[in-house]
């Protein structure tokens, strides 16, 4: 706290930038940085795990679909012969006709297989998109909450450091004012002694009674003057303490406003992130 030394003429302002250089704050900042980096690594590991699992599920679905396709193709010769027989029947019986599919639904084995595969793929994509999006939102919330906790801890420490610096400034101011009062009293005592010595050495004053009378009058005059000087010094000291107290109050209010603004900005950034987020998947 040596940087907050009071000069002879004024008191240095306490600013947050200087408080952040304090070794206790630097130490806390490093701890917070490590905690945040640790969370980010953990989140990345979670994303890698989910991504790997989702890719495995997609590969499995593609593999199963490929196997089913082979099975369907092995029965294609039977389907072809059956189709030829149907055509022969239509040629021999002109009244025979194919009833159209009103819903355009797939009828051939391959079409049915492709339709089923596409439905499964769509369902898997929806599931994986939901899973990934929820993971991202959860991680964003965890990181936001951690930053808020860290920011509150940092501002609490800054408040403590500012209070300590303010107490030190006030103590140093009072010490300086006490020194000024002691110096004033010492100078007044020296003046009284010097004035009495001058009177005692004044050869124009013939009698001891006259010298004593002169010393008494001078002492009374000095006492009155000294009391007035001490009164002015006391008023000056009180004024300086009040000014410093007011400055400290202003500094504390500014610190609180900055803390509130920083936390509000963090909340705003988080809300904007949520509003900008869209359903997504990485597969």
């Amino acid at each position: 706290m040596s940087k907050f030394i009071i000069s002879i003429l004024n008191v240095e302002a306490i600013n947050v930038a200087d408080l952040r250089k304090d070794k206790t704050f630097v130490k806390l900042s490093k701890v917070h940085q490590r905690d945040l980096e640790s969370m980010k690594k953990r989140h990345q590991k979670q994303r890698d795990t989910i991504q790997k699992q989702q890719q495995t599920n997609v590969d499995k679905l593609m593999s199963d679909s490929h196997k089913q396709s082979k099975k369907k193709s092995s029965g294609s010769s039977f389907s072809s012969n059956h189709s030829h027989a149907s055509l022969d029947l239509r040629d021999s019986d002109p009244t025979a006709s194919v009833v159209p599919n009103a819903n355009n639904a797939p009828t051939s084995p391959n079409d049915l297989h492709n339709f089923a595969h596409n439905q499964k793929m769509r369902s898997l994509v929806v599931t994986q998109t939901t899973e990934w999006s929820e993971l991202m939102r959860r991680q964003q919330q965890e990181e936001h909450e951690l930053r808020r906790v860290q920011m509150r801890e940092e501002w609490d420490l800054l408040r403590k450091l500012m209070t300590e610096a303010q107490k030190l400034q006030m103590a140093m101011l009072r010490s300086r004012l006490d020194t000024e009062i002691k110096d004033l009293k010492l100078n007044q005592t020296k003046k009284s002694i010097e004035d009495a010595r001058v009177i005692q050495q004044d050869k124009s004053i013939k009698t001891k009674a006259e010298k004593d009378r002169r010393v008494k009058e001078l002492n009374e005059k000095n006492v009155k003057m000294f009391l007035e000087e001490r009164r002015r010094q006391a008023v000056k000291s009180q004024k300086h303490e009040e000014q410093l107290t007011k400055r400290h109050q202003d500094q504390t209010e500014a610190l609180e406003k900055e803390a509130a603004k920083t936390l509000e900005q963090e909340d705003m950034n988080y809300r904007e992130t949520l509003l900008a987020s869209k359903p997504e998947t990485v597969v």
Side-chain angles (χ1 to χ4, degrees):
M1 295 298 180
S2 59
K3 65 184 66 177
F4 306 117
I5 295 177
I6 299 176
S7 66
I8 296 177
L9 298 178
N10 56 20
V11 178
E12 293 184 5
I14 303 172
N15 58 74
V16 177
D18 288 334
L19 295 176
R20 291 181 183 275
K21 297 176 184 178
D22 187 274
K23 62 181 181 180
T24 56
F25 186 85
V26 173
K27 182 178 179 180
L28 179 64
S29 297
K30 290 181 179 179
V31 172
H32 285 172
Q33 185 64 29
R34 287 197 299 267
D35 291 344
L36 186 59
E37 290 298 327
S38 177
M39 172 176 282
K40 289 183 177 181
K41 289 180 180 179
R42 177 165 55 84
H43 284 173
Q44 184 61 51
K45 186 176 181 180
Q46 291 174 351
R47 291 194 295 271
D48 291 343
T49 300
I50 293 295
Q51 184 176 0
K52 182 178 180 180
Q53 182 61 48
Q54 289 186 347
Q55 185 62 55
T56 299
N57 292 338
V58 171
D59 292 342
K60 184 176 184 301
L61 179 61
M62 296 295 292
S63 176
D64 292 344
S65 176
H66 183 65
K67 291 178 182 179
Q68 290 293 329
S69 179
K70 283 186 175 181
K71 290 181 180 180
K72 296 295 182 180
S73 62
S74 64
S76 61
S77 59
F78 172 79
S79 299
S80 178
N81 293 334
H82 180 72
S83 176
H84 292 161
S86 298
L87 289 174
D88 293 340
L89 178 61
R90 291 173 197 162
D91 291 339
S92 61
D93 185 3
T95 61
S97 62
V98 179
V99 179
N101 189 336
N103 296 324
N104 293 324
T107 56
S108 69
N110 286 335
D111 289 343
L112 288 171
H113 168 71
N114 291 335
F115 178 78
H117 170 72
N118 290 338
Q119 288 296 100
K120 290 181 180 179
M121 182 60 72
R122 290 192 188 97
S123 177
L124 180 61
V125 169
V126 170
T127 300
Q128 291 187 347
T129 299
T130 301
E131 182 182 29
W132 183 263
S133 298
E134 289 178 351
L135 173 66
M136 295 302 297
R137 284 194 296 270
R138 184 170 65 254
Q139 290 183 348
Q140 290 168 353
Q141 181 179 0
E142 289 178 358
E143 188 170 335
H144 167 65
E145 291 175 351
L146 176 61
R147 282 199 299 266
R148 277 189 61 86
V149 170
Q150 291 180 343
M151 291 169 67
R152 288 185 179 278
E153 289 179 353
E154 290 177 357
W155 284 112
D156 286 343
L157 179 56
L158 288 173
R159 291 186 187 95
K160 179 181 178 182
L161 293 175
M162 176 168 284
T163 299
E164 292 176 353
Q166 290 174 345
K167 288 181 178 179
L168 179 60
Q169 281 192 340
M170 184 61 73
M172 295 180 71
L173 174 63
R174 288 171 178 169
S175 176
R176 189 191 73 183
L177 296 176
D178 288 343
T179 299
E180 291 178 356
I181 292 176
K182 289 179 181 179
D183 291 342
L184 177 62
K185 291 180 179 179
L186 180 60
N187 291 333
Q188 290 175 347
T189 301
K190 288 181 179 180
K191 179 175 175 53
S192 296
I193 295 174
E194 180 63 22
D195 289 346
R197 186 183 64 80
V198 171
I199 292 175
Q200 293 295 337
Q201 293 178 353
D202 189 351
K203 295 181 179 181
S204 64
I205 304 175
K206 302 299 182 179
T207 64
K208 181 178 182 300
E210 180 64 17
K211 289 182 178 180
D212 291 343
R213 186 184 66 79
R214 293 278 188 92
V215 170
K216 182 179 179 181
E217 289 179 353
L218 187 58
N219 284 340
E220 290 176 351
K221 179 181 178 181
N222 284 341
V223 167
K224 184 178 180 181
M225 181 181 65
F226 294 163
L227 289 176
E228 180 60 24
E229 289 179 348
R230 293 178 187 181
R231 186 192 67 80
R232 288 197 300 267
Q233 184 65 34
V235 172
K236 173 186 173 183
S237 298
Q238 182 179 0
K239 183 178 180 181
H240 285 182
E241 287 192 22
E242 290 175 351
Q243 289 175 342
L244 184 57
T245 299
K246 179 61 168 59
R247 176 181 292 187
H248 287 169
Q249 291 175 348
D250 293 341
Q251 291 169 348
T252 301
E253 290 177 2
L255 179 68
E256 294 298 337
K257 289 181 180 179
E258 187 174 353
K261 183 178 179 181
T262 303
L263 290 171
E264 183 180 355
Q265 184 63 48
E266 171 61 26
D267 291 339
M268 185 181 300
N269 293 341
Y270 175 62
R271 289 193 296 269
E272 290 178 353
T273 299
L274 293 181
L275 292 174
S277 62
K278 299 179 180 179
E280 58 179 333
T281 184
V282 294
V283 178

